Amino acid sequence: MKCIKKTVLGAGACLLLTSCTTKLPPPPGSHHLDPGWYIFDCDALYDKGICEVTKIAPGYKVNLLESFAGDFELHTTRTRNEVIIKNAHVNYRDLKRTLSGEGYMRGKNAAAGTATSWIKMSRDHRKERAWSLRPATDREVRKFKEREEARANSKK
């Protein structure tokens, strides 16, 4: 009987510890994203690419500009510094992908979390992949604009 009690107590303690450590607590402070150019890094979509972030009523709109076309929103929640990915419309050539996930603001102008991406009308998905959002450097923005200008000139 003692052995069963110890086993049940040990299993309960392990379950409690693992459930508490799966989601980190939000970082302290009150963080935000300024509108501008950012690098979105998420291997559920692509390694990394430049995007433009704008402020909207429920949080932020992230407009993906490299490799993938589309956008998604980072909605703030009641938990300080927490964001949830909503209203994702992401296309890669003819494949329409969707994206869901959550994360935290990690200081001024930075965010990170996990996301799941899947192809619409398919079972193909990439589950709980890490994502991050950080300000783009002047060099990264300049290179992106040069590539866009070159693409526009080649289509003429």
Side-chain angles (χ1 to χ4, degrees):
M1 193 68 170
K2 278 185 174 181
C3 184
I4 292 173
K5 284 182 184 178
K6 285 182 181 179
T7 304
V8 169
L9 286 174
C14 287
L15 181 62
L16 183 62
L17 284 173
T18 57
S19 64
C20 291
T21 59
T22 54
K23 189 174 178 183
L24 295 173
S30 184
H31 306 299
H32 67 279
L33 298 174
D34 293 329
W37 299 98
Y38 285 79
I39 297 294
F40 181 68
D41 188 356
C42 180
D43 70 350
L45 296 179
Y46 52 76
D47 286 337
K48 68 180 179 180
I50 201 157
C51 63
E52 188 173 13
V53 173
T54 54
K55 181 82 172 116
I56 58 173
Y60 307 94
K61 182 164 188 125
V62 179
N63 190 14
L64 302 173
L65 301 172
E66 275 191 308
S67 299
F68 279 74
D71 57 67
F72 62 90
E73 297 172 2
L74 288 175
H75 288 206
T76 56
T77 68
R78 289 184 176 176
T79 303
R80 186 175 43 191
N81 296 324
E82 185 178 54
V83 290
I84 297 173
I85 295 174
K86 298 267 188 164
N87 302 325
H89 307 287
V90 182
N91 300 329
Y92 180 69
R93 296 188 179 115
D94 294 335
L95 297 175
K96 300 204 183 298
R97 285 194 174 272
T98 192
L99 185 69
S100 65
E102 60 189 17
Y104 290 118
M105 305 299 284
R106 300 277 181 199
K108 184 179 178 190
N109 296 328
T114 58
T116 299
S117 171
W118 63 93
I119 297 172
K120 289 187 176 183
M121 310 302 283
S122 169
R123 293 180 186 218
D124 181 31
H125 68 282
R126 296 172 181 167
K127 196 171 187 177
E128 294 191 22
R129 302 292 179 97
W131 64 267
S132 65
L133 189 65
R134 65 162 176 84
T137 64
D138 290 338
R139 181 173 180 248
E140 289 169 326
V141 173
R142 188 173 59 254
K143 286 181 87 172
F144 168 73
K145 288 181 178 180
E146 288 171 359
R147 284 192 302 267
E148 287 299 300
E149 187 176 318
R151 281 187 197 122
N153 289 337
S154 70
K155 289 182 181 180
K156 289 182 181 179

